[in-house]
Amino acid sequence: MRLAGRDPILEVERVELRFGGVKALSQVSFSVPEGSITAVIGPNGAGKTSLFNTISGFYRPQAGTIRFAGETLDGVAAPERAARGLARTFQNIALFRGMTVLDNIKLGRHAHMRTNLLDALVYWGRARREEMELRAEVEERIIDFLEIQHIRHAAVGTLAYGLQKRVELARALAMRPRILMLDEPVAGMNREETEDMARFILDVKEEWGTTILMVEHDMGMVMDISDHVVVLNFGQVIASGEPRAVQSDEAVIAAYLGAGDVGEIARRIRADAA
Amino acid sequence: MRIGTLKTSYAADEALFDTALQRGLLVALLVAAVVFPFVASPYWLFLACLCAINVASATGLNLLTGYTGLVSLGQAAFMSVGAYTVAVLEIRLGTPFALNLLIGAGLAAAIGILVGIPSLRVKGLYLAIATIAASVILHFLFSHWTLTGEARGLSMPPARLFGIAIDQPFSLYWLIMPVTMLMVLGAANLLRTRIGRAFIAVRDRDISAEVLGIPLLRTKLTSFAISSFYAGLAGGLWAYFFRVVTPESFPLDNSIFYLAAIIVGGMGTILGGILGAVFMTLVPELLKFGANWLTPIYPDALSALAPVRTIVFGALIVGFLIFEPRGLVEIWVRIRRFFHLWPFRT
Amino acid sequence: MDALFLAEVMLAGIGSGALYALTGVAFVLIYKATRVVNLAIGEILMLGGYAFLGFAAGLGLPAIAALVLAVVTGGLLGWLVERSLIRPMLGESPISVFMVTIGLGSILVGLVQLGWGADPLRLPEFMPATPVFIGDAYLAPKVAVGFVAAAVVIAAFLALFRFSRSGVALKATAGDQGAAYSVGIDVPRVFSAAWILACATAAGAGVLVGAIGGISPTMGVFGLSVLVVVIIGGLDSIAGALVGGLLIGLVEALAGAFLGGEYKLVVTFTLLLLLLMVRPYGLFGTHEIERL
Ligand SMILES: Nc1ncnc2c1ncn2[C@@H]1O[C@H](COP(=O)(O)OP(=O)(O)OP(=O)(O)O)[C@@H](O)[C@H]1O
Ligand SMILES: [Mg+2]
């Protein structure tokens, strides 16, 4: 299915992000067509996570604009971006260890709930209604879908890595995403887990109509499921387009070959900065 | 032995007391609380009221420190705001006690929010010090303001209901205990809504919470507000209980006491706040008991009581942090687990 | 305003500021090495005063011997505390560790009360009584001695940090514990040394403070002012402790002279609140960058 004709839901225009002397992103521009799966790839330290953090409002870029669903995100605080439908998972799992799986997932809905302090204290009327609706929806649409019924009451700290990643996805789904940003969803997973995750991602797109933007190093998966690929290297977009076209792009191959030793590159960037 | 509980509906699964055993215990406790004032001596009623006031305040602090991860050494100062407000209103205007309590708590919450504002920028110890600073400033204010009776403080008339003075342990019990129970219930309710989840999210991973749609400042201020509201309410009850409020009624040591109570009881659990506050209130009494009992053998026992209390207080904090960091609750959980599996495990 | 009076007040302020700075350095030493916020520093200082009283008045030792023994007592306490209370808390949340030191403070207060009662006591006189004049301004001799002693100890510390191997080990440990381990620094020993040195210093400061103002189980509130000092200076900055100490000493003296003694604490804490709004990590403190 090609979606080239669709309007972009997310547009990144000439974004610049610096940390002291390190240029994490320079003149980054690309757009994500609504309803697509777009992958951002690039060697370690290329700036992919920084890009996600900028889009979700955790970092403020020095220049450039990001537009989401036709509206600018300039000056919009992170929680408000989440409320508008920008949901994500994290490269280093960011689950809340003091909560059960169920509560972690429910937490994702925060921005869409209206319960205030008074409602909460008496737990009657709105608070109870919202909580019950949320519980039912989480159970029926998310927990069943991601096949995590058996761990719903478990403490997240006790779960295997793959399951934790799945819970993070569940929490992001509870955020009612219009765009779902996944930072390395299958990193550290075995073949079977990777295939499960790929299936979930495709299902989310098909069944929920959610646009997906993901960072991923697993080229097999990127080639299999994405409609559109953006390649970052040293903070710059060096190629973008359909997976096959990108795969045979000279600059991309050079970037990946050059990145034979990723640690070395990271060191070089840091040395340049100093 | 209990076999895995089978939930029939989500509502049942979300209930506060979800097993028959828990509900049974709860009913037993409620019955005991109702019967207690009719059988207990005024001394025990006095202690029960004191415990209840401390439970109310500790529960508030637990929401802030145990659940939201913001350390405060200002809980006693927030209590003093409630206590002074109640005293001033009672003396000057003679307004109904329920209204006074609410205004006192509201004022404490407002000041709590003010104190909480730096919490967006300053963390951990720095925040704790900021709350000490607020306590010092409030103490200064109360001991220099004519309205609050300067260093002498205020003596106030008792609360009245339909013209009857609530000034005996028995009647005070019926004022303090229900209010505390409602407060604890409110806190437990709060924690099963989005607000409670946001608190925990801020505590566990402050930085990713924002990206997940949880506004940090707002959540932290909510936590400060509710926690100091609880402190203010507890302070108001305290004022009606002792009827004398002075600048020395709520020293920094009391703020440490509440922090110690939730540590000893178990931070971040409602039951922990309750157990800790009751335990820490009763320990000094227990020591007094011991000293009285020792006097015939060791005549100086009573004069050593004050220092020994101070030592035991410190030793409890240190001991629990090192040997049972999850507090009395953990001990309780272990006991319960033992009995659940009892016939099958030795 | 009388310029001479102002000068005398400021001199006295700098004098007591030096003692704040000295105790502040002890605090920072522990924080730098072990990341522990030691709220019991005021009580350790108090214990130093009582230990001196015990050795000098109780055992009738000469003042110098009593001073040395008080400092040694402080060091021993530091060693004991680090071993028995702080080391088991390694890896626990900073809040828990800081509560442990609060508990420790309470234990020390209780012990002192048990031993010497709750009333304030005077230390035997051991300092010269000849008045000191700087220009025309009079300075109480004890305050002058306190200042000189504090200055000497602080200077010795600075030299130690800069020029000795242990200073380097301390700096490395403060920077990155893991890295310090991997280059062969005995990190637990650094921890231990920091506690011993800091508590010995605090105990010595306690003797000076006690000689000037007497001792009592509540003199631990001195620690509250020290807390303000190190927060203003920045928890991990020795220079900050010096500047902060003198600043708070001055502010307290001025507030005490022109507003009244009961204004001291409220003025310094208000200052602290204002500063925290502008510079959340103190004047010289470092703060860590956060990443997702
Ligand atoms: N908060 C920060 N402060 C300073 N530098 C940072 C920060 N965050 C990222 N960087 C730097 O920006 C560059 C890009 O890092 P980023 O994490 O975005 O890379 P990445 O493409 O996600 O790499 P990986 O594939 O390893 O996850 C790196 O040089 C990194 O060190
Ligand atoms: Mg990354």
Side-chain angles (χ1 to χ4, degrees):
Chain A
M1 182 170 52
R2 286 278 79 92
L3 297 143
R6 290 244 200 140
D7 287 340
I9 185 166
L10 182 75
E11 297 155 272
V12 176
E13 281 167 29
R14 292 195 298 282
V15 163
E16 292 267 342
L17 180 72
R18 285 185 298 274
F19 297 108
V22 185
K23 258 200 173 178
L25 300 173
S26 57
Q27 296 291 317
V28 170
S29 300
F30 68 94
S31 57
V32 179
E34 178 148 25
S36 71
I37 296 184
T38 299
V40 177
I41 62 170
N44 291 95
K48 305 177 297 294
T49 299
S50 302
L51 174 67
F52 267 30
N53 285 345
T54 310
I55 296 172
S56 36
F58 184 68
Y59 293 152
R60 182 162 303 172
Q62 276 81 18
T65 306
I66 299 168
R67 297 168 63 76
F68 176 62
E71 288 174 56
T72 176
L73 291 181
D74 296 349
V76 177
E80 169 62 19
R81 295 184 194 204
R84 289 192 194 176
L86 222 70
R88 71 174 283 188
T89 64
F90 299 84
Q91 183 174 351
N92 309 310
I93 295 173
L95 289 171
F96 300 105
R97 305 183 73 83
M99 282 190 258
T100 61
V101 167
L102 194 56
D103 278 334
N104 263 283
I105 300 173
K106 284 179 180 171
L107 180 101
R109 185 57 58 84
H110 186 90
H112 295 287
M113 300 176 83
R114 297 279 78 87
T115 298
N116 62 29
L117 200 52
L118 212 62
D119 300 330
L121 285 170
V122 293
Y123 199 76
W124 201 253
R126 178 158 58 186
R128 177 184 290 270
R129 201 178 57 245
E130 272 193 343
E131 286 300 322
M132 287 307 140
E133 282 169 11
L134 174 60
R135 176 73 194 268
E137 191 187 322
V138 165
E139 288 283 350
E140 283 144 29
R141 286 201 67 193
I142 299 175
I143 291 191
D144 286 355
F145 170 62
L146 292 176
E147 299 158 15
I148 46 177
Q149 299 87 340
H150 57 298
I151 52 164
R152 57 159 84 80
H153 288 301
V156 289
T158 61
L159 299 178
Y161 182 79
L163 277 178
Q164 294 201 12
K165 285 244 157 193
R166 216 184 277 184
V167 175
E168 265 215 324
L169 176 61
R171 183 177 65 190
L173 287 176
M175 292 173 76
R176 289 203 175 130
R178 294 188 63 191
I179 187 165
L180 184 61
M181 306 202 294
L182 308 171
D183 198 346
E184 307 201 4
V186 301
M189 288 190 177
N190 61 29
R191 202 64 249 155
E192 194 187 337
E193 287 173 323
T194 303
E195 274 162 19
D196 280 346
M197 187 54 91
R199 181 165 54 82
F200 289 136
I201 294 172
L202 280 172
D203 284 352
V204 169
K205 183 185 106 166
E206 298 299 334
E207 288 177 24
W208 301 45
T210 307
T211 310
I212 298 196
L213 176 64
M214 68 176 184
V215 167
E216 190 44 69
H217 283 293
D218 184 325
M219 280 309 137
M221 166 154 155
V222 168
M223 293 302 147
D224 279 354
I225 70 170
S226 52
D227 310 303
H228 187 76
V229 178
V230 177
V231 189
L232 275 185
N233 192 25
F234 292 116
Q236 285 174 312
V237 177
I238 56 166
S240 71
E242 292 187 6
R244 298 294 150 211
V246 165
Q247 202 175 20
S248 51
D249 187 296
E250 295 285 327
V252 176
I253 294 168
Y256 270 88
L257 288 180
D261 177 6
V262 286
E264 172 57 23
I265 291 219
R267 269 193 293 283
R268 236 165 48 210
I269 299 178
R270 276 186 214 115
D272 284 354
Chain B
M1 183 195 149
R2 185 186 66 164
I3 303 170
T5 22
L6 236 135
K7 303 289 158 39
T8 43
S9 77
Y10 300 140
D13 196 20
E14 299 271 335
L16 278 179
F17 300 93
D18 55 351
T19 64
L21 176 76
Q22 280 177 334
R23 272 192 293 269
L25 263 176
L26 180 72
V27 170
L29 263 176
L30 279 177
V31 170
V34 170
V35 174
F36 180 79
F38 296 100
V39 295
S41 69
Y43 170 73
W44 281 103
L45 276 172
F46 172 90
L47 276 186
C49 290
L50 204 57
C51 283
I53 291 170
N54 286 341
V55 165
S57 189
T59 299
L61 183 65
N62 207 357
L63 290 175
L64 182 69
T65 303
Y67 284 95
T68 322
L70 302 168
V71 184
S72 163
L73 281 167
Q75 195 69 355
F78 296 134
M79 283 179 79
S80 73
V81 173
Y84 270 111
T85 309
V86 162
V88 168
L89 288 174
E90 190 67 52
I91 294 167
R92 301 262 161 151
L93 304 177
T95 32
F97 73 86
L99 183 68
N100 299 347
L101 284 172
L102 280 179
I103 295 178
L107 211 57
I111 291 177
I113 291 175
L114 212 62
V115 174
I117 288 175
S119 69
L120 189 67
R121 299 196 62 194
V122 304
K123 298 208 170 119
L125 172 79
Y126 287 91
L127 182 64
I129 307 298
T131 59
I132 296 186
S135 319
V136 169
I137 293 169
L138 284 171
H139 179 270
F140 181 83
L141 183 75
F142 291 138
S143 52
H144 285 79
W145 197 6
T146 37
L147 182 69
T148 53
E150 297 169 343
R152 281 169 293 107
L154 299 170
S155 303
M156 59 184 271
R160 291 185 169 274
L161 190 60
F162 309 122
I164 303 161
I166 305 179
D167 56 359
Q168 295 305 312
F170 182 82
S171 47
L172 282 162
Y173 179 91
W174 292 107
L175 166 65
I176 293 168
M177 196 53 88
V179 173
T180 295
M181 284 186 174
L182 286 179
M183 287 166 79
V184 171
L185 181 67
N189 278 337
L190 184 79
L191 290 167
R192 34 184 194 152
T193 66
R194 70 168 188 149
I195 296 175
R197 290 191 293 268
F199 284 177
I200 298 176
V202 167
R203 177 192 72 192
D204 286 0
R205 268 195 108 102
D206 188 307
I207 48 174
S208 60
E210 286 225 274
V211 174
L212 297 170
I214 292 158
L216 274 190
L217 183 60
R218 207 194 145 95
T219 306
K220 289 181 175 178
L221 292 186
T222 305
S223 188
F224 261 104
I226 188 75
S227 152
S228 39
F229 185 91
Y230 272 45
L233 203 47
L237 293 174
W238 192 98
Y240 280 122
F241 188 55
F242 288 105
R243 303 228 313 273
V244 181
V245 184
T246 77
E248 305 321 314
S249 303
F250 301 95
L252 189 58
D253 285 352
N254 283 19
S255 291
I256 295 176
F257 171 89
Y258 292 111
L259 213 46
I262 59 174
I263 286 175
V264 167
M267 275 217 225
T269 61
I270 288 290
L271 184 60
I274 301 172
L275 292 179
V278 171
F279 182 73
M280 293 303 269
T281 311
L282 292 184
V283 163
E285 297 303 317
L286 219 65
L287 290 175
K288 192 160 84 186
F289 215 69
N292 279 329
W293 184 76
L294 270 180
T295 314
I297 317 162
Y298 175 61
D300 279 346
L302 271 178
S303 67
L305 186 58
V308 168
R309 270 183 190 168
T310 317
I311 296 172
V312 169
F313 177 73
L316 280 172
I317 299 178
V318 172
F320 267 92
L321 280 169
I322 293 181
F323 298 112
E324 192 66 83
R326 295 163 77 184
L328 291 167
V329 158
E330 191 59 25
I331 298 177
W332 165 244
V333 166
R334 271 206 295 274
I335 295 175
R336 232 179 39 182
R337 200 176 300 139
F338 178 77
F339 280 106
H340 279 165
L341 305 169
W342 175 53
F344 298 97
R345 218 182 69 184
T346 43
Chain C
M1 192 191 303
D2 187 348
L4 185 63
F5 177 60
L6 185 65
E8 285 179 349
V9 168
M10 290 180 68
L11 271 179
I14 292 173
S16 52
L19 292 175
Y20 285 150
L22 181 61
T23 321
V25 168
F27 184 100
V28 169
L29 186 59
I30 289 178
Y31 185 80
K32 257 179 116 73
T34 64
R35 297 286 136 178
V36 172
V37 166
N38 180 10
L39 279 190
I41 198 88
E43 280 74 25
I44 292 165
L45 174 136
M46 166 199 76
L47 197 79
Y50 276 97
F52 180 84
L53 181 72
F55 291 120
L59 300 183
L61 297 178
I64 268 295
L67 174 66
V68 171
L69 284 174
V71 170
V72 170
T73 308
L76 274 177
L77 180 71
W79 175 79
L80 191 70
V81 166
E82 199 275 332
R83 268 303 161 90
S84 59
L85 304 184
I86 303 301
R87 209 166 285 182
M89 298 298 290
L90 215 70
E92 296 289 327
S93 81
I95 296 163
S96 305
V97 188
F98 133 106
M99 279 307 291
V100 166
T101 66
I102 289 190
L104 169 67
S106 187
I107 295 175
L108 293 179
V109 169
L111 287 176
V112 160
Q113 273 187 36
L114 211 52
W116 283 275
D119 297 326
L121 299 170
R122 298 211 60 80
L123 290 187
E125 297 291 339
F126 68 100
M127 289 191 184
T130 15
V132 179
F133 284 93
I134 297 178
D136 281 338
Y138 165 80
L139 181 62
K142 289 176 181 171
V143 176
V145 172
F147 178 85
V148 172
V152 168
V153 175
I154 291 172
F157 264 131
L158 290 180
L160 182 75
F161 295 148
R162 183 143 306 200
F163 301 116
S164 76
R165 280 176 52 97
S166 18
V168 174
L170 173 70
K171 217 176 265 165
T173 310
D176 184 341
Q177 272 171 29
Y181 246 123
S182 61
V183 297
I185 289 172
D186 188 351
V187 173
R189 239 184 73 192
V190 174
F191 281 17
S192 215
W195 273 86
I196 292 173
L197 261 184
C199 292
T201 309
V207 178
L208 297 175
V209 173
I212 294 168
I215 56 176
S216 78
T218 57
M219 86 191 260
V221 292
F222 188 88
L224 224 48
S225 294
V226 172
L227 210 55
V228 178
V229 165
V230 293
I231 295 281
I232 284 187
L235 279 179
D236 55 356
S237 162
I238 301 254
L242 299 184
V243 174
L246 293 181
L247 182 72
I248 292 303
L250 267 178
V251 168
E252 284 196 359
L254 291 172
F258 294 105
L259 300 170
E262 77 272 26
Y263 282 81
K264 281 185 181 176
L265 217 50
V266 75
V267 168
T268 52
F269 270 101
T270 310
L271 196 71
L272 174 82
L273 266 191
L274 295 178
L275 183 94
L276 279 185
M277 305 266 184
V278 198
R279 288 193 61 93
Y281 295 91
L283 291 176
F284 303 97
T286 44
H287 86 274
E288 284 125 39
I289 312 160
E290 288 171 326
R291 288 196 190 196
L292 272 187

